Amino acid sequence: NKTVQSLSLSGDGVTNKHGKLIYECLAENNTLSYLAIQHCQLGREGVADLAPALKTNNALKTLILGPSKHNWGLMDPSIFLLAQI
């Protein structure tokens, strides 16, 4: 869908296997300006899968991550991975 502007994902149903799906959505959607991924099971592997899309999606202005069931924090490598982009 190329008209979605805001997306919030949360809950135990969002896992590492969804990282690639989120990547595909971000890669194809040029109108999404807000994405929140919170209170879920998405860990480092899932974050690594979705991270490359952040380099090419110029529309995304707000990205909210966590808290996660994996206890993301300021020292978590997942945050550093995203910060490098």
Side-chain angles (χ1 to χ4, degrees), residues 25-77:
C25 290
L26 288 172
E28 293 180 17
N29 184 302
N30 58 5
T31 61
L32 187 69
S33 62
Y34 174 91
L35 175 61
I37 305 172
Q38 305 176 80
H39 308 288
C40 64
Q41 295 287 339
L42 188 68
R44 292 181 182 130
E45 180 182 318
V47 169
D49 284 343
L50 75 87
L54 299 176
K55 290 183 179 181
T56 58
N57 186 310
N58 296 324
L60 191 64
K61 302 299 181 207
T62 304
L63 175 63
I64 298 173
L65 293 175
S68 166
K69 303 289 182 173
H70 291 277
N71 295 319
W72 286 349
L74 292 177
M75 300 306 291
D76 189 293

Side-chain angles (χ1 to χ4, degrees), residues 4 10 15 17-18 23-24 26 31 34 36 42 48 50-51 66 68 74 77 80 83:
V4 174
S10 65
T15 65
K17 68 180 179 181
H18 295 100
Y23 162 81
E24 291 172 4
L26 288 172
T31 61
Y34 174 91
L42 188 68
L50 75 87
S68 166
L74 292 177
F80 288 121

